[in-house]
Amino acid sequence: MPSVKPAGTLIAVLALLSFVLPMATDLYLSAFPRMAEELGTDASGVQLTLTAFLIGLAAGQLVLGPLSDRYGRRGLLLAGTAMCAASTALCALAPTLEWLVALRFVTGFAGAAGVVLGRAVISDIATGSAAARLFGILMALGGIAPIVAPLAGGAVFEEFGWRAVFWLLATVVMSMFAAAFFLVPETLPRERRHAKGFATTLRAAAGVLGNRVYLGHTLVFVFASGALFSYISASPFLYQKMLGMSVQEYSVVFAAGALIATLSSGASAKLVNRVHPSVLLRIGLVAMSGSTAASLLIATIGKLAPVSALSLLAITGAGLGLVFGNATALAIEAVPESAGTASALLGTLQSGLGALAAPLVGLGGQHTAIPLYLAMTVCSVAALLCGSVLTGQKAKRPQSVRFKPAS
């Protein structure tokens, strides 16, 4: 077993593992039209590959998180990442849409290991402000993928075709496996594991959901994610169809939004040693709610323009950067004895709402932004209300990271 690595090295590897979600979704978006032609389907058929991935991701987190509380983090992390790489390679060889949809589900299920167990590892080694700082760093590093993935995927697709995009993704996932194998130790000692079977897992899940502080911060995270997924799914139509931007201009704007959220996450990670995570969380929620509501108002009165859309997007992105890391840390810290289960439920609800939000924002068609901003506003306000009503208890503020790997 590898020895414990410095916190910086470990967080960098966990950030790489978290790239599964943005890389597996953003990398191949530009190839959708060509995939529809070659696989003999339409846009909605190709969209099923994205939905299948998100459903698999939700199910995988729900299964692998609780299992890791019983069997430890490392073994499941390695097995899941290896299976994710294999299924991604098979996606490149898929002869039909049906095969591709099935394989994308497997990819999501297996890839969930890197997402859910990465969060659990952080909760194993840190609490309070230290955990919030690490989650903030994780979110900041994770923001690299949404910036790079669309650009890299588009370049590979243009040069080599859509199947090469999946070969690229398989290569990335194999690098994740290698990094986890050599640099991620077991962080859950045997004496802290649940060892009484599935019934214990169910009781742990019930206990986690019954914790008001955990539930409140989890709902904050989930609803904020709903706002983000609404934006991601509708942004091509918003910028290209409604605001008249080119594909290149849209790519730059999308990357800029991801960059703003990344910088905000990095700033949050710096500030948590001086400002309580709950305060930063509240600032982020207020920023999100105000900017999305203003966007909805502008769209409703027919005054939406590039300047206003981009300015309000910047505020929303900055708010998201303050919300994600702090909400995650405060949620999982509330139930440290069931960190894997807590992380799994958080991620499952996130993916589930994301899968639901994506098609809903398109109900109004390609030429109105009202459904998009309505969904973002509802999600942002719901997150703010959950943070205000359900989270009455503040987390403790230890200032150091604790490493307790299993021997």
Side-chain angles (χ1 to χ4, degrees):
M1 179 177 297
S3 59
V4 178
K5 302 298 177 183
T9 301
L10 181 59
I11 294 303
V13 175
L14 297 180
L16 178 63
L17 292 168
S18 74
F19 284 7
V20 167
L21 175 56
M23 292 294 286
T25 55
D26 299 350
L27 199 64
Y28 79 132
L29 292 178
S30 61
F32 271 18
R34 183 72 58 80
M35 291 173 64
E37 293 176 6
E38 294 188 15
L39 295 172
T41 186
D42 54 15
S44 62
V46 177
Q47 182 68 27
L48 286 176
T49 64
L50 184 58
T51 301
F53 173 81
L54 289 174
I55 293 173
L57 188 70
Q61 291 181 84
L62 194 60
V63 172
L64 297 177
L67 283 179
S68 75
D69 284 336
R70 182 182 182 188
Y71 297 107
R73 319 296 188 200
R74 178 174 160 80
L76 288 171
L77 178 61
L78 295 177
T81 307
M83 183 180 296
C84 182
S87 61
T88 301
L90 290 175
C91 285
L93 304 173
T96 65
L97 175 66
E98 291 76 16
W99 272 103
L100 184 58
V101 169
L103 288 168
R104 287 288 286 172
F105 173 84
V106 176
T107 299
F109 187 95
V115 178
V116 68
L117 300 183
R119 288 194 296 260
V121 165
I122 290 180
S123 69
D124 290 338
I125 65 174
T127 58
S129 296
R133 180 175 63 84
L134 293 181
F135 277 118
I137 295 172
L138 184 66
M139 297 297 175
L141 293 175
I144 297 172
I147 298 172
V148 174
L151 302 176
V156 171
F157 164 63
E158 287 290 336
E159 189 70 23
F160 302 106
W162 68 267
R163 295 182 185 274
V165 176
F166 284 103
W167 286 118
L168 171 62
L169 180 59
T171 302
V172 172
V173 178
M174 279 304 300
S175 70
M176 297 176 183
F177 173 83
F181 183 84
F182 289 108
L183 298 173
V184 179
E186 179 58 69
T187 57
L188 186 66
R190 293 185 182 276
E191 62 271 16
R192 291 174 53 200
R193 300 178 190 177
H194 299 299
K196 297 181 181 179
F198 189 66
T200 300
T201 297
L202 290 178
R203 286 194 295 271
V208 163
L209 290 174
N211 185 297
R212 179 170 176 159
V213 177
Y214 168 81
L215 181 61
H217 287 113
T218 293
L219 290 177
V220 167
F221 178 88
V222 169
F223 280 118
S225 298
L228 176 61
F229 278 115
S230 297
Y231 167 74
I232 290 174
S233 62
S235 60
F237 303 105
L238 170 65
Y239 294 121
Q240 297 180 50
K241 298 292 185 181
M242 301 172 213
L243 298 179
M245 294 184 182
S246 66
V247 173
Q248 293 78 11
E249 290 171 337
Y250 162 68
S251 299
V252 172
V253 168
F254 190 90
L259 177 61
I260 290 170
T262 299
L263 293 175
S264 179
S265 294
S268 177
K270 291 285 188 180
L271 289 171
V272 289
N273 287 330
R274 290 176 289 176
V275 182
H276 195 280
S278 63
V279 175
L280 295 172
L281 177 63
R282 180 62 59 85
I283 293 172
L285 291 173
V286 170
M288 286 184 61
S289 299
S291 60
T292 54
S295 299
L296 175 61
L297 176 61
I298 292 172
T300 301
I301 63 178
K303 299 296 184 179
L304 189 65
V307 173
S308 59
L310 296 179
S311 299
L312 292 169
L313 168 65
I315 298 173
T316 304
L320 280 169
L322 294 176
V323 168
F324 282 151
N326 292 303
T328 301
L330 292 170
I332 298 180
E333 185 196 22
V335 285
E337 70 285 354
S338 300
T341 301
S343 179
L345 291 172
L346 185 148
T348 298
L349 292 171
Q350 176 197 29
S351 300
L353 185 58
L356 179 64
L360 289 180
V361 296
L363 292 178
Q366 301 181 14
H367 301 287
T368 175
I370 293 177
L372 164 62
Y373 288 129
L374 178 60
M376 292 183 70
T377 301
V378 169
C379 287
S380 298
V381 172
L384 179 61
L385 291 176
C386 288
S388 301
V389 175
L390 294 177
T391 58
Q393 177 182 336
K394 289 187 176 182
K396 296 179 181 179
R397 297 190 45 148
Q399 300 296 322
S400 61
V401 178
R402 65 166 189 264
F403 284 91
K404 295 182 179 179
S407 56

